[in-house]
Amino acid sequence: MRKTVIYSLVAVLALVFTGCGKPKTWQSNLGRVFGTYYSLNYKAEANYQWKLDSLFDVINKSMSTFDTLSTVYAINHSDGAVTVDDRFAYVFSVAQYVSEQSCGAFDITVAPLVNLWGFGFDPQDTSTYKSQAQIDSIKEFVGYDKVKITDGKLVKADGRVKLDLSAIAKGYACDVIADFLESQGADDMMVDIGGEIVTRGYNPMGELWRIGIVSPVDDTLQTNNDVEHIVEMDNKAIATSGNYRQFYITKERKVTHTIDPVSGYPVNGNVLSASVIAPNCTVADAYATTFMVVGDTTRIKDIIKASKYNLEAYVIVDSAGVHVGKWFR
């Protein structure tokens, strides 16, 4: 289904190309999208910078919480059923599967809690720590079982339910871009959107792509680039989640942007970062956030074994102040 959905998106935007047989050379595209950076390196007959804005715009129109014309925006500001496109339906199906498998550790309806803690698309006051009463009042309308797609429309069990796809949409965008480039003859590439990465083929040196996992030290200015571990990629995707860049401190407590949908509280355990390798980046992105929320290596291992996807995870934990990396397959 993934290929069908992504190629249908590419087909809408693709033009008919002429001039076959041009030599392939390494191309590079850099820019900003979805509130973060993108970096593309691929070997192709042409540079496709002119296509990227169109592709990113289509994804925004489906999944952005800020774009007033997007599907998600319509869902968040409506009490009734909202018609969804194939792109949204695919991402929704992956999200719901991961939610069910993780017992709600991953949940795209977590948006009101994320907002409450001062993150998300409608951030609330961050000067005080939130009370249990505040959290409980919002948890009444948070839960992946409160949304479903019926006859091509998303239906909410409670009109107050709001969605946030930020923990999966960047990964999906990586897949879209990679599949578009492949459709134009690019076999060797690395697509990087805010640290979510798809690799195919080989790098300019003719070797497998090697991706560095950054050391998870507190770094709100995002200046730390120290590499903790290097992963060799063979036509797979990788996504990393951590709580070392987006957080604030109140009354000596660290409040992280990763919110547990079940407890309603920010995650602040000994799992410092989770990097997931998967067949595609949509899946990798969702599970990376899931493992940060789960925060327990035994449960992470169990989830990986039970998943229908072929997953690997490199998890960095804090053991008495020392970073310890562990592989789970």
Side-chain angles (χ1 to χ4, degrees):
M1 178 180 177
R2 183 184 75 87
K3 287 289 186 180
T4 301
V5 172
I6 293 178
Y7 277 127
S8 66
L9 167 60
V10 172
V12 170
L13 297 170
L15 299 176
V16 177
F17 289 90
T18 59
C20 298
K22 295 180 181 178
K24 294 181 181 180
T25 57
W26 281 98
Q27 312 289 336
S28 179
N29 302 107
L30 302 171
R32 301 282 301 179
V33 70
F34 312 141
T36 188
Y37 72 88
Y38 68 83
S39 174
L40 314 181
N41 292 279
Y42 54 95
K43 192 174 183 180
E45 295 179 3
N47 187 294
Y48 296 106
Q49 177 69 59
W50 55 277
K51 291 293 295 181
L52 299 180
D53 288 342
S54 296
L55 288 165
F56 288 142
D57 185 61
V58 169
I59 296 169
N60 252 329
K61 287 294 187 292
S62 180
M63 302 174 197
S64 172
T65 54
F66 298 97
D67 191 326
T68 58
L69 299 178
S70 78
T71 300
V72 168
Y73 190 93
I75 291 168
N76 287 348
H77 292 80
S78 173
D79 294 334
V82 174
T83 300
V84 299
D85 54 49
D86 289 343
R87 296 169 289 284
F88 180 94
Y90 165 69
V91 170
F92 181 84
S93 69
V94 173
Q96 292 296 86
Y97 173 81
V98 179
S99 294
E100 292 172 6
Q101 205 217 346
S102 64
C103 298
F106 184 83
D107 192 339
I108 59 174
T109 72
V110 74
L113 286 169
V114 175
N115 290 334
L116 174 68
W117 287 102
F119 304 98
F121 59 87
D122 184 22
Q124 306 301 303
D125 174 57
T126 60
S127 61
T128 59
Y129 204 72
K130 308 309 176 188
S131 69
Q132 187 66 56
Q134 288 176 292
I135 294 170
D136 289 343
S137 67
I138 290 177
K139 284 174 61 179
E140 293 178 5
F141 49 92
V142 171
Y144 69 93
D145 58 339
K146 293 179 171 58
V147 287
K148 62 181 179 179
I149 292 179
T150 303
D151 297 328
K153 295 183 178 181
L154 186 129
V155 180
K156 301 190 291 188
D158 188 312
R160 295 172 295 175
V161 171
K162 296 185 186 299
L163 308 184
D164 185 345
L165 302 184
S166 61
I168 193 171
K170 289 199 302 293
Y172 174 72
C174 286
D175 292 333
V176 170
I177 297 300
D179 282 350
F180 166 73
L181 293 174
E182 184 178 323
S183 75
Q184 304 308 318
D187 298 320
D188 303 314
M189 71 181 78
M190 183 178 75
V191 175
D192 179 356
I193 301 178
E196 323 302 7
I197 298 171
V198 172
T199 65
R200 294 185 187 170
Y202 300 94
N203 65 22
M205 295 178 288
E207 302 170 344
L208 289 176
W209 295 94
R210 303 177 77 231
I211 306 301
I213 296 174
V214 174
S215 180
V217 297
D218 286 354
D219 177 33
T220 57
L221 298 179
Q222 301 188 25
T223 58
N224 173 56
N225 293 309
D226 293 343
V227 173
E228 186 107 353
H229 188 75
I230 294 177
V231 181
E232 191 170 73
M233 303 288 290
D234 188 2
N235 294 311
K236 292 185 178 180
I238 184 170
T240 297
S241 182
N243 287 323
Y244 47 92
R245 286 183 172 169
Q246 294 186 54
F247 65 89
Y248 61 89
I249 305 294
T250 177
K251 293 184 179 180
E252 304 306 318
R253 298 194 192 194
K254 180 180 179 181
V255 179
T256 69
H257 78 288
T258 303
I259 310 300
D260 183 342
V262 179
S263 71
Y265 282 91
V267 172
N268 197 11
N270 71 330
V271 173
L272 303 178
S273 75
S275 299
V276 176
I277 300 174
N280 68 70
C281 209
T282 308
V283 169
D285 201 2
Y287 275 104
T289 296
T290 300
F291 294 160
M292 285 301 302
V293 173
V294 167
D296 177 84
T297 55
T298 299
R299 280 193 64 198
I300 290 172
K301 185 176 181 179
D302 291 342
I303 290 172
I304 288 175
K305 286 186 174 180
S307 175
K308 69 180 181 180
Y309 299 105
N310 182 19
L311 304 176
E312 299 177 70
Y314 185 78
V315 179
I316 300 176
V317 300
D318 182 352
S319 178
V322 178
H323 292 182
V324 178
K326 300 181 180 181
W327 273 108
F328 297 91
R329 295 180 170 91

